[in-house]
Amino acid sequence: MLFSVCVGVVVASAGAFVVPSSPASSQSSTSLKAFESYDDVRKVLPSLPPYDELLPGMPGKSIEVGGKVFDPLELAQWRDIGTLRESELKHGRVAMLAWVGWLFPQTIGTFPVDYVKTTDPVEAIAAVPMNVWAQLLVLGGVFECARYNWDNGLFVFPFEDPEVFFDPAKVCPKDQKDFDVMMTKELKNGRMAMIAWTGLVVHHFIPDAVPLLGSLK
């Protein structure tokens, strides 16, 4: 589990598949904050496009979400859509690793360390020494600082494509169409992982609340 958490801190900061924020979307999201809803804005400015047209060309449109960008709460009218998509990707990546980290010790076993002997994922969190958590916090901070500098054109990882923040495995497609397909796949897996991890947590604290999880803790 410790390994999964460590990798999660690193990968969660990766920006290989992040839609860059546009100045126009940032300005529009700031100007809309004073209204109750986007419909109210259109009453004042009828020339504005319908809400569905605020998100043109974004990856993530698939049959599962009606062929539209998934935004049931219409949050894109209040915040920059690039920031929201980046946040969703990071949470999805963390959830995928968290799901693996939750199941790994119970199905395969723990890593050979002295301080974590339990296979209970919640107990394992408390068993990890503070100095280990401090190292993970620093590691995450280093990546976040690197990402901030990359956003401002001040830093590029050695041997990396300047257009991609962090892609050591070189899986980020160069072709825009392939890029959109891969982002959509990652979004789907990340969303499923967030739901799956939530189910594991519910099952842990309310045994048998989630069908088919059986004896998992």
Side-chain angles (χ1 to χ4, degrees):
M1 179 177 180
L2 175 59
F3 176 79
S4 297
V5 173
C6 182
V7 176
V9 173
V10 176
V11 179
S13 301
F17 306 111
V18 173
V19 178
S21 306
S22 64
S25 62
S26 298
Q27 294 172 2
S28 63
S29 63
T30 302
S31 62
L32 295 177
K33 290 181 180 178
F35 296 88
E36 291 290 332
S37 69
Y38 186 69
D39 290 337
D40 292 339
V41 179
R42 293 195 70 203
K43 291 177 182 177
V44 179
L45 300 172
S47 60
L48 289 176
Y51 181 77
D52 290 344
E53 296 180 15
L54 282 177
L55 313 174
M58 282 199 72
K61 299 177 181 179
S62 61
I63 189 173
E64 295 89 348
V65 290
K68 302 178 180 179
V69 174
F70 184 69
D71 185 20
L73 300 180
E74 299 188 353
L75 299 177
Q77 60 184 305
W78 311 116
R79 292 293 302 273
D80 175 64
I81 188 61
T83 301
L84 293 175
R85 173 53 60 81
E86 180 177 351
S87 177
E88 182 180 19
L89 282 169
K90 285 187 176 183
H91 281 81
R93 290 165 180 170
V94 170
M96 286 187 278
L97 287 162
W99 187 84
V100 174
W102 192 287
L103 297 180
F104 186 92
Q106 300 183 56
T107 56
I108 298 178
T110 59
F111 287 98
V113 294
D114 296 332
Y115 45 82
V116 178
K117 299 298 183 182
T118 179
T119 59
D120 185 296
V122 176
E123 293 179 2
I125 293 174
V128 176
M130 287 302 298
N131 63 325
V132 176
W133 288 118
Q135 293 176 55
L136 293 174
L137 180 62
V138 170
L139 178 63
V142 168
F143 268 82
E144 288 299 328
C145 289
R147 175 57 196 270
Y148 176 83
N149 287 329
W150 182 83
D151 284 339
N152 290 278
L154 303 175
F155 174 82
V156 176
F157 276 105
F159 312 110
E160 283 286 358
D161 184 338
E163 299 297 320
V164 177
F165 170 64
F166 185 68
D167 183 25
K170 305 299 181 186
V171 297
C172 183
K174 302 295 183 182
D175 180 74
Q176 185 62 44
K177 183 177 180 181
D178 294 337
F179 178 91
D180 292 349
V181 170
M182 180 167 282
M183 178 180 276
T184 300
K185 290 178 180 178
E186 185 179 22
L187 280 169
K188 288 182 178 182
N189 282 280
R191 290 165 179 168
M192 181 62 70
M194 287 187 276
I195 296 172
W197 183 82
T198 301
L200 289 172
V201 173
V202 170
H203 178 74
H204 178 85
F205 291 103
I206 310 175
D208 301 323
V210 182
L212 305 179
L213 291 186
S215 60
L216 286 175
K217 296 181 181 179

